[in-house]
Amino acid sequence: MKLQSQDRRVQRFIARHKKSPAYQWDDVQDPRARRGRRWPFEQLLDAAFLGMVAGCATLRDVEAQTDEMGQAGRAYVARRVPDTTLYELLGRLGIEELRKKLRQQVRSLYRAKSLEPEALPCGVVSIDGKGIGTLEHDAEATAQKAHHEDGSPYWLVRALRAVLTSSEARPCIDQMPVAAKTNEMGDFPAFFDGLEQAYGRLNLFEIVTVDAGMTSKKNAEHIHGAHRAYVMALKETQPELLREAERLLRPRTQAPPAAETPWEKAQGKQVRRRLYRTTEIAGYHEWTHLQQAWLVVQETLSADGTIAIEDRFFLTSVRPGRLSAAQILLVVRGHWRIENDCFWSLDTQWGEDDRPWRSTGRAVEVVSFFRLMAYNLLQLARQRHLRPRRAGGRPADPPPWRRMFQWTRQALRLALDPPLAPASGIG
């Protein structure tokens, strides 16, 4: 089969990255009994990972893809892998082992300088909670009970995720399941400690942003104690701090803002943001590490000419002068992009909520790590390696996800011939 030029670029991109230890599986324990192992373990994990890279909706789709790859004779998976074989395996893999593979992938991208901050002086990581699958039954007691509109119960598997929003690719750098009997606020310290353990020696991020659901003095002290700066959304969950921020910042809206964005298109509307800030709140209410409060006024212009205004307040330990006013708006906007870029892509393109491949709590968590690694790899390709350029060198919109999946499926049908020479770095 003859590949088009774009398919060939995707093919070489995948082949180059597959040489990284992050995509080798020798450090993942094979849970199968020694007798009766018909399939090489590495090929089964390759099938699952490459199935995610190609956007396969079901395990049956993965089986069909491996059949095509096997017929090529020189592909990553040498023969068709039955969906039942993958089904049995995915529920038995080690969650922490796959979490280590995700971190290994991120460290590999960092060493290749693929995660540099975009228009910021330092890295910024945004932490938020996300549903990663629904269950009709929860025999393993790993999920949180919820209810459909008709009142019938279901169980939601949730996780805390960290996204490097300062990077153009906005990769997910870590994930930890939220325990069934706690919540995101309760699991935040343990999750943050995991981030520090994985990346503390790297210059990967300096600032941590969270939404109002995780804003607390305890969490702020936890971040500050690790010599990181926090940016925390401020709502009624912290009423005294919110009242003080309003008292100090609302009068400032009568003066010119510290920074203002131009009108931008967003979901068929026009959006503009203005920044106001104060240092008078520093140390307030025994938040000894608190340095500033920010107010971002967002104006949304609809097609009918109406303008909606939303005020968003933030507390931060970022010292004055570390970020310019324009960079502050980038940091704030970056936190919203954890939803608009990473979470949206996982939901709409991979069907994270309604196409989990497996329907038990442990397997849902296992599959989610393959999904995150696939997202990180393809998002890097979309945003950096395959993004077209306009006149003058400015980047155009990245290729749509459906086109990326199409290119990937075509590229995986054949291995590189001749093989790609070993690369000194993964870029």
Side-chain angles (χ1 to χ4, degrees), residues 150-376:
D150 62 2
S152 59
Y154 69 95
W155 284 261
L156 178 64
V157 182
R158 293 193 61 81
L160 280 169
R161 281 179 176 163
V163 174
L164 193 67
T165 49
S166 55
S167 167
E168 188 177 24
R170 297 177 191 89
C172 180
I173 66 173
D174 202 8
Q175 172 181 277
M176 185 185 80
V178 175
K181 295 185 179 181
T182 184
N183 55 27
E184 295 160 7
M185 176 76 85
D187 274 351
F188 178 86
F191 180 61
F192 180 79
D193 288 345
L195 275 178
E196 283 295 304
Q197 180 182 5
Y199 306 114
R201 295 183 179 182
L202 306 182
N203 189 29
L204 186 62
F205 65 91
E206 177 183 316
I207 298 173
V208 180
T209 73
V210 300
D211 63 17
M214 283 178 272
T215 297
S216 71
K217 183 180 177 183
K218 178 181 177 181
N219 287 346
E221 289 175 343
H222 207 84
I223 296 171
H224 179 72
H227 306 290
R228 310 289 182 182
Y230 59 79
V231 175
M232 294 182 159
L234 181 59
K235 294 185 178 179
E236 289 292 347
T237 51
Q238 298 288 337
E240 186 164 346
L241 285 164
L242 178 59
R243 298 287 88 78
E244 181 66 7
E246 290 178 328
R247 184 186 72 83
L248 294 172
L249 287 167
R250 288 209 184 277
R252 294 175 180 262
T253 60
Q254 305 304 313
E260 180 179 76
T261 64
W263 288 102
E264 301 170 335
K265 291 183 179 180
Q267 300 179 346
K269 301 178 181 180
Q270 296 285 328
V271 177
R272 178 173 66 183
R273 299 175 181 90
R274 296 173 177 167
L275 171 69
Y276 303 89
R277 55 187 174 174
T278 180
T279 59
E280 295 180 50
I281 202 170
Y284 183 77
H285 201 45
E286 298 183 352
W287 283 49
T288 55
H289 30 69
L290 179 59
Q291 295 284 328
Q292 304 178 67
W294 300 336
L295 167 60
V296 176
V297 179
Q298 178 172 299
E299 298 176 275
T300 304
L301 176 63
S302 300
D304 60 5
T306 60
I307 294 181
I309 297 178
E310 182 178 7
D311 294 342
R312 298 181 178 181
F313 292 88
F314 299 88
L315 300 176
T316 180
S317 62
V318 174
R319 56 182 173 78
R322 178 59 176 135
L323 300 174
S324 69
Q327 289 169 342
I328 289 173
L329 286 175
L330 286 177
V331 169
V332 170
R333 185 182 180 186
H335 185 79
W336 298 332
R337 281 179 170 168
I338 193 175
E339 290 279 356
N340 297 339
D341 286 345
C342 180
F343 291 0
W344 178 88
S345 297
L346 294 168
D347 281 338
T348 62
Q349 307 305 317
W350 273 274
E352 184 167 62
D353 286 341
D354 55 4
R355 298 200 307 266
W357 283 11
R358 281 291 313 266
S359 57
T360 64
R362 179 184 181 85
V364 165
E365 294 170 13
V366 165
V367 169
S368 71
F369 283 104
F370 287 108
R371 187 183 298 114
L372 290 177
M373 292 182 68
Y375 160 80
N376 287 351

